[in-house]
Amino acid sequence: MIASAELSIFEQSFAADVQAGLTKAGQKELPSKYLYDTVGSRLFDVITALPEYGLTRAEDRILRQHSAEIVARLHTPLTVAELGSGSGQKTRGLLEALCVRDPTSYYPIEISPAALAMCKREVADIQAISILGLERDYLDGLAEVAASRQGKPLLVLFLGSTIGNFDPPAAANFLQEVRGLLQPGDWLLLGTDLAKPAPVLLAAYDDPIGVTAAFNLNLLGRINRELDGHFDLSDFEHVARFDATACRVEMHLRSNRRQRVAIEKADMSVVFEEGETIWTESSHKYTPADILRMAQLSGFRCEAQWVDTEWPFAENLWIAE
Ligand code: AVJ
């Protein structure tokens, strides 16, 4: 029997992505979306509480301080779709403000079933909300929501600077695809972390109690659990780097010695040299000019922007042209 016959559809694509990333010539890599299994989603929630990781609190402050103004600019009854809802905590206030005005359908789109379940629990008691969670990739989920919008304008939420995980050409391409699913006049509320000094960023992605290290290493743990991998996690180390030219923080996992690791369900074994890394995530940081350029490149007009000054972060309200 061929191995793939025993794998679920999810395992097949996870195995294919692992295989492609770890056999890449030059820099090995793994897609950051696989960081968010049940363990990874919970570790990410702990990261958001760390004093060094100011990003989530900055966005919370913006959404709390300006929710009345944001809602006032969205002047009609809406259907809301959220790309990557996570635990739903950051969205709750905004949904409450919308639902007080009009009954609102909320579609969280989330590939992590654990996060989706948490999100539904978090917003379930809001008056006049109707919730339909979609366990899909972002664009598949958004296409479904767009098809069932019932004549109302769409508000797409893409918060937390998740856009920063795409490199700039992929980000522009992704936003163009989002735009392609929308109609003129639909909205996108986009969270973007802004450039700040390298030491601040490095501390945010390499915290002193090791939560981010655990979050990163869990990716190898997940490969062990779900693909019968044989990684010894004590042979790898979390590394955070700042690339000033690209203005991004990178997370890597560095092999402490030369070693060969088998991954049974990906039908492979891979050699790591001593000091070689697997690149697991990029988090791009933006200038206000970068954000305007992204809007123009992808067919949106920037309607408003709110910036947190304590931890530079911008919430952008874009309108589809
Ligand atoms: C949830 C993708 C925005 O890139 O800052 C946190 C994930 N990685 N610490 C980010 C993350 C390391 C986070 N995003």
Side-chain angles (χ1 to χ4, degrees), residues 36 44 47 53 55 160-162 165 205 212 215 251 281 283:
Y36 301 91
F44 175 69
I47 289 173
Y53 191 80
L55 192 159
S161 204
T162 301
N165 294 150
Y205 289 84
T212 310
F215 173 68
M251 295 204 309
E281 186 189 62
S283 296

Short mmCIF file of all heavy atoms in Angstrom, two decimals, residues 36 44 47 53 55 160-162 165 205 212 215 251 281 283, ligand 1:
data_model
loop_
_atom_site.label_atom_id
_atom_site.label_comp_id
_atom_site.label_asym_id
_atom_site.label_seq_id
_atom_site.Cartn_x
_atom_site.Cartn_y
_atom_site.Cartn_z
N TYR A 36 0.19 26.82 14.43
CA TYR A 36 -1.04 26.98 15.23
C TYR A 36 -1.86 25.71 15.35
O TYR A 36 -3.00 25.64 14.90
CB TYR A 36 -1.89 28.11 14.64
CG TYR A 36 -1.14 29.43 14.62
CD1 TYR A 36 -0.40 29.81 13.50
CD2 TYR A 36 -1.13 30.26 15.73
CE1 TYR A 36 0.32 30.99 13.49
CE2 TYR A 36 -0.43 31.45 15.72
CZ TYR A 36 0.30 31.81 14.60
OH TYR A 36 1.01 32.98 14.59
N PHE A 44 0.62 30.90 21.64
CA PHE A 44 0.52 32.25 21.06
C PHE A 44 -0.29 33.16 21.99
O PHE A 44 0.08 34.32 22.20
CB PHE A 44 -0.08 32.24 19.65
CG PHE A 44 -0.28 33.64 19.15
CD1 PHE A 44 0.82 34.45 18.86
CD2 PHE A 44 -1.55 34.19 19.06
CE1 PHE A 44 0.65 35.78 18.47
CE2 PHE A 44 -1.73 35.51 18.67
CZ PHE A 44 -0.63 36.30 18.37
N ILE A 47 1.96 34.38 24.54
CA ILE A 47 2.86 35.41 23.98
C ILE A 47 2.20 36.78 24.05
O ILE A 47 2.84 37.77 24.41
CB ILE A 47 3.24 35.07 22.51
CG1 ILE A 47 4.18 33.86 22.47
CG2 ILE A 47 3.88 36.27 21.81
CD1 ILE A 47 4.49 33.34 21.07
N TYR A 53 6.01 41.59 24.28
CA TYR A 53 5.26 41.52 23.02
C TYR A 53 4.11 42.52 23.08
O TYR A 53 2.99 42.19 23.48
CB TYR A 53 4.74 40.08 22.81
CG TYR A 53 4.18 39.83 21.42
CD1 TYR A 53 5.02 39.57 20.33
CD2 TYR A 53 2.80 39.85 21.20
CE1 TYR A 53 4.49 39.32 19.06
CE2 TYR A 53 2.26 39.60 19.93
CZ TYR A 53 3.12 39.34 18.88
OH TYR A 53 2.60 39.10 17.62
N LEU A 55 2.50 44.07 20.67
CA LEU A 55 1.67 44.17 19.47
C LEU A 55 0.16 44.02 19.76
O LEU A 55 -0.65 44.86 19.38
CB LEU A 55 2.17 43.11 18.48
CG LEU A 55 1.72 43.09 17.04
CD1 LEU A 55 2.72 42.32 16.18
CD2 LEU A 55 0.35 42.50 16.88
N GLY A 160 -4.08 41.90 13.80
CA GLY A 160 -2.92 41.29 14.45
C GLY A 160 -1.64 41.33 13.65
O GLY A 160 -0.65 40.70 14.02
N SER A 161 -1.62 42.03 12.52
CA SER A 161 -0.45 42.07 11.62
C SER A 161 -0.09 40.70 11.08
O SER A 161 1.08 40.42 10.80
CB SER A 161 0.78 42.71 12.30
OG SER A 161 1.66 43.25 11.33
N THR A 162 -1.11 39.86 10.90
CA THR A 162 -0.86 38.57 10.24
C THR A 162 -0.37 38.80 8.80
O THR A 162 0.40 38.00 8.27
CB THR A 162 -2.14 37.71 10.25
OG1 THR A 162 -2.52 37.53 11.61
CG2 THR A 162 -1.90 36.34 9.61
N ASN A 165 3.25 38.22 7.96
CA ASN A 165 3.86 36.90 7.74
C ASN A 165 4.11 36.61 6.25
O ASN A 165 4.82 35.67 5.91
CB ASN A 165 2.98 35.79 8.33
CG ASN A 165 2.88 35.85 9.85
OD1 ASN A 165 1.88 35.46 10.42
ND2 ASN A 165 3.90 36.37 10.52
N TYR A 205 10.35 38.86 20.13
CA TYR A 205 10.34 37.56 19.45
C TYR A 205 11.34 36.58 20.05
O TYR A 205 11.55 35.49 19.51
CB TYR A 205 10.58 37.75 17.94
CG TYR A 205 9.38 38.38 17.27
CD1 TYR A 205 9.21 39.76 17.26
CD2 TYR A 205 8.39 37.59 16.69
CE1 TYR A 205 8.09 40.35 16.68
CE2 TYR A 205 7.27 38.15 16.09
CZ TYR A 205 7.12 39.53 16.10
OH TYR A 205 6.02 40.10 15.51
N THR A 212 8.18 32.14 23.40
CA THR A 212 8.29 32.17 21.94
C THR A 212 9.15 31.00 21.46
O THR A 212 8.87 30.40 20.41
CB THR A 212 8.85 33.52 21.46
OG1 THR A 212 8.09 34.58 22.08
CG2 THR A 212 8.76 33.64 19.95
N PHE A 215 6.90 28.09 21.45
CA PHE A 215 5.96 28.25 20.34
C PHE A 215 6.62 27.80 19.02
O PHE A 215 6.01 27.07 18.22
CB PHE A 215 5.58 29.73 20.28
CG PHE A 215 4.75 30.17 19.10
CD1 PHE A 215 3.43 29.73 18.94
CD2 PHE A 215 5.26 31.07 18.16
CE1 PHE A 215 2.66 30.17 17.87
CE2 PHE A 215 4.50 31.51 17.10
CZ PHE A 215 3.20 31.05 16.95
N MET A 251 11.98 34.15 12.56
CA MET A 251 12.19 33.08 13.53
C MET A 251 12.81 31.91 12.77
O MET A 251 12.37 31.56 11.67
CB MET A 251 10.89 32.58 14.17
CG MET A 251 10.15 33.56 15.03
SD MET A 251 9.07 32.75 16.26
CE MET A 251 8.13 31.60 15.29
N GLU A 281 9.23 31.57 10.30
CA GLU A 281 8.27 32.68 10.23
C GLU A 281 8.98 33.98 9.93
O GLU A 281 10.10 34.20 10.37
CB GLU A 281 7.54 32.83 11.57
CG GLU A 281 6.42 33.86 11.55
CD GLU A 281 5.86 34.15 12.94
OE1 GLU A 281 6.63 34.63 13.80
OE2 GLU A 281 4.68 33.88 13.16
N SER A 283 8.01 38.20 10.23
CA SER A 283 7.02 39.21 10.66
C SER A 283 7.51 40.56 10.16
O SER A 283 8.41 41.16 10.76
CB SER A 283 6.89 39.22 12.19
OG SER A 283 6.38 38.00 12.65
C1 AVJ B 1 0.16 36.40 15.03
C2 AVJ B 1 1.47 36.36 13.10
C3 AVJ B 1 1.02 38.42 14.14
O1 AVJ B 1 4.09 37.61 13.62
O2 AVJ B 1 4.00 38.71 15.49
C4 AVJ B 1 4.32 35.98 17.70
C5 AVJ B 1 3.00 35.51 15.51
N1 AVJ B 1 5.32 34.89 16.17
N2 AVJ B 1 5.55 35.70 18.13
C6 AVJ B 1 3.63 37.80 14.74
C7 AVJ B 1 4.18 35.48 16.44
C8 AVJ B 1 6.15 35.02 17.21
C9 AVJ B 1 2.51 36.90 15.26
N3 AVJ B 1 1.30 36.98 14.39
#
